[in-house]
Amino acid sequence: MTQILVTGGAGFLGSHLCDRLIANGNDVVCVDNYFTGSKENIRHLIGNPHFELMRHDVTFPLYVEVGQIYNLACPASPIHYQFDPVQTTKTSVHGAINMLGLAKRLKARILQASTSEVYGDPEVHPQTEDYWGRVNPIGIRSCYDEGKRCAETLFFDYWRQHKLEIKVIRIFNTYGPRMHPNDGRVVSNFIVQALKGEDITLYGDGQQTRSFCYVDDLIDGMVAMMNSDPAFVGPVNVGNPGEFTMLELAESVVRLTDSRSRMVFMPLPQDDPKRRQPNIEMAKKQLGWAPKVGLEDGLRETVAYFRKLLNTA
Ligand code: NAD
Ligand code: UDP
Ligand code: UDP
């Protein structure tokens, strides 16, 4: 049994990760300041002897004793990370420094939840890990993109300088149950709008693309990366290469929910990437991992979750 720290453990991905790690026979310490996460996501684990919950902000030092660290603490949706952009950068950068300092003291292996946003609005398509990206350093997405890029820099410097055992994954858009209904991300927005019969808000002309990974697949990839050969540190893309326009996504959601919602077009937010698709050859080769859940099946599960949450069953 390993003692494992999950920062951001009360969030969407973090709560699924806590479930998986406990199911695999580990003890989990979940740290969260509840900025975008919620106790609801982990309520079923409270009282479990293998689960411990701490309210803590990772921008402050943390002294606990664990064998592995998954660093997920950071708001992930544009409306939330842009709400207090200075805090977003602090969470990524100071949070990474504190968790790396903790890992250094404990000689613990540490995994960073990085993001496809490090590629910015990419000129290389699909994105491979050796692409350095095209990121605006002073725009409204920069607090997140540059914060995550700096966190990657810190991880690699602790690896080179202090011989720390690091793992870096670049997560592409992931969706599923426990996404926050109001966090503004496209899958939750469209499903909630469709279920409530509200207008479906397409930003721009709806022709921009994203590649959507179902949460269970993502957690498989994340855990496989943590437990991979120490010589393999990444960064490695983890995502589903199926690429869809936002218009196609909206059409699928309308069909699966049998909704009468109309589609409306709204202005495209600044610096919104036009295309995004992971090249996952490295994850396949190094981790033996590939996603299994197609968009339709994953959306069905997610719609079922939101139906229950919104009481529209
Ligand atoms: P989320 O917002 O649901 O989860 C983030 C969690 O971190 C929340 O529980 C939040 O309260 C917590 N948190 C934020 N700031 C904190 C701080 N200073 N101290 C302690 N806790 C803090 O988002 P998510 O989708 O679960 O994302 C988890 C991680 O994965 C993030 O680091 C995100 O950047 C990364 N990621 C997610 C996606 C995706 O599509 N879901 C894509 C790329 C990267
Ligand atoms: N740190 C922490 N928990 C620990 C050890 C360190 O939160 O168990 C923090 C500590 O506050 C420091 C940061 O991690 O600011 C970086 O630690 P490191 O040892 O790398 O650097 P230094 O302490 O020399 O600045
Ligand atoms: N988007 C949209 N309508 C919405 C929310 C988002 O058309 O109600 C678009 C957004 O402009 C972007 C894509 O969907 O092109 C994905 O947005 P999201 O915020 O989910 O993630 P990210 O931009 O970080 O990939």
Side-chain angles (χ1 to χ4, degrees):
M1 186 192 286
T2 313
Q3 285 272 359
I4 302 179
L5 171 64
V6 177
T7 76
F12 161 50
L13 295 181
S15 63
H16 286 276
L17 178 62
C18 291
D19 284 343
R20 178 69 61 88
L21 295 173
I22 289 173
N24 288 352
N26 302 288
D27 269 9
V28 168
V29 180
C30 166
V31 159
D32 208 294
N33 70 349
Y34 306 118
F35 175 48
T36 52
S38 150
K39 275 194 196 153
E40 283 315 308
N41 290 336
I42 33 117
R43 191 171 292 288
H44 57 287
L45 294 174
I46 295 172
N48 183 322
H50 299 293
F51 181 75
E52 200 178 326
L53 183 58
M54 279 177 79
R55 179 191 288 265
H56 175 81
D57 181 328
V58 294
T59 61
F60 296 99
L62 176 67
Y63 289 83
V64 291
E65 312 304 313
V66 292
Q68 289 185 345
I69 303 168
Y70 287 85
N71 188 36
L72 275 64
C74 186
S77 98
I79 51 169
H80 282 138
Y81 71 63
Q82 289 165 17
F83 173 75
D84 186 351
V86 172
Q87 177 65 16
T88 299
T89 304
K90 282 187 189 169
T91 292
S92 272
V93 177
H94 292 180
I97 292 172
N98 286 328
M99 293 310 104
L100 286 161
L102 175 65
K104 189 179 115 196
R105 178 176 64 80
L106 299 172
K107 299 190 175 35
R109 187 177 283 195
I110 180 166
L111 178 143
Q112 167 68 357
S114 190
T115 165
S116 53
E117 284 287 321
V118 301
Y119 301 121
D121 189 8
E123 308 104 321
V124 169
H125 193 81
Q127 291 79 57
T128 43
E129 291 85 351
D130 57 4
Y131 174 51
W132 290 356
R134 187 165 72 118
V135 174
N136 177 357
I138 56 167
I140 56 172
R141 294 176 86 100
S142 311
C143 57
Y144 184 74
D145 299 9
E146 297 289 15
K148 288 283 188 178
R149 286 169 66 96
C150 185
E152 285 199 9
T153 306
L154 285 159
F155 268 69
F156 278 81
D157 282 331
Y158 269 78
W159 173 63
R160 278 184 289 260
Q161 196 175 329
H162 299 301
K163 310 288 177 255
L164 212 66
E165 276 197 40
I166 65 153
K167 301 280 177 185
V168 177
I169 63 170
R170 292 183 176 153
I171 302 171
F172 283 65
N173 297 65
T174 301
Y175 69 99
R178 300 191 198 147
M179 289 186 93
H180 197 289
N182 300 324
D183 88 355
R185 283 186 269 191
V186 69
V187 174
S188 43
N189 265 14
F190 285 2
I191 293 177
V192 170
Q193 290 162 346
L195 290 176
K196 289 184 169 170
E198 294 170 355
D199 290 348
I200 298 206
T201 53
L202 281 153
Y203 300 160
D205 58 8
Q207 293 303 316
Q208 70 274 33
T209 69
R210 293 294 187 272
S211 302
F212 297 102
C213 187
Y214 188 63
V215 60
D216 291 355
D217 282 335
L218 195 282
I219 300 298
D220 286 345
M222 193 183 287
V223 174
M225 179 58 172
M226 177 60 110
N227 296 300
S228 62
D229 185 331
F232 180 59
V233 296
V236 60
N237 292 338
V238 182
N240 189 320
E243 185 185 9
F244 299 88
T245 66
M246 294 311 101
L247 193 56
E248 286 170 331
L249 176 70
E251 286 164 354
S252 297
V253 168
V254 167
R255 189 161 32 76
L256 290 169
T257 51
D258 222 358
S259 172
R260 271 183 269 164
S261 291
R262 294 179 315 139
M263 295 188 200
V264 296
F265 292 86
M266 296 173 67
L268 189 69
Q270 191 196 321
D271 293 338
D272 199 276
K274 283 180 273 308
R275 300 182 73 185
R276 187 182 288 154
Q277 182 188 31
N279 174 310
I280 58 163
E281 291 311 307
M282 188 188 284
K284 281 185 180 164
K285 187 161 165 269
Q286 297 283 348
L287 308 176
W289 172 88
K292 300 190 190 92
V293 182
L295 185 61
E296 291 260 321
D297 289 340
L299 284 178
R300 257 189 220 102
E301 294 291 323
T302 314
V303 166
Y305 168 80
F306 280 113
R307 265 197 205 287
K308 223 169 134 194
L309 190 78
L310 303 174
N311 238 333
T312 59

